[in-house]
Amino acid sequence: MHAPVSRRALLAAGAALSVGAVASHAFRGTAEAQQKVAQAVVKYQSSPNAGHQCSTCSNFVAPDGCKVVLGKISPHGWCTIWTPK
Ligand code: SF4
C-alpha cells in the first residue's frame, strides 16, 4: 500500500527540483566558459592555413567568435583544432 504523500511534501520536492535546475544551469554556464582555450594554446593565427579557415570550421560562431577558442576570431583565421563543417 502506498503511503499518502502530503501536499507539503510535494511542494518541498518541487522547490528542491527548481533549485537544482537553477544550480545546474549556472554550473553549465561556468563549465562552458572554462572549456574555451586561449588562442596561443591552439596556435591561432589570423590567416588561413592550407585553404582551411575559421569560416569553414564547425566551431566558428559568426561574425567573430568560436565555440572553443577565447577572444575575437577572424573568419579568415585558423588554428590547430580546425574541424570541417
Ligand atoms: S579554426 Fe575553428 S576552432 Fe580554430 S579558432 Fe577558428 S573557428 Fe575556432
Side-chain angles (χ1 to χ4, degrees):
M1 198 170 124
H2 293 290
V5 179
S6 74
R7 180 175 158 78
R8 182 188 298 251
L10 280 177
L11 286 174
L17 281 175
S18 301
V19 169
V22 169
S24 142
H25 183 75
F27 176 75
R28 249 198 325 273
T30 307
E32 268 168 23
Q34 289 175 345
Q35 276 167 7
K36 284 200 179 190
V37 299
Q39 295 182 358
V41 172
V42 291
K43 297 184 166 55
Y44 170 79
Q45 60 188 47
S46 57
S47 54
N49 181 21
H52 297 159
Q53 61 182 43
C54 295
S55 64
T56 58
C57 174
S58 63
N59 295 315
F60 185 64
V61 181
D64 58 5
C66 174
K67 290 180 201 162
V68 287
V69 178
L70 288 164
K72 195 167 180 176
I73 301 296
S74 166
H76 307 295
W78 174 87
C79 84
T80 56
I81 54 172
W82 179 87
T83 310
K85 278 185 181 172

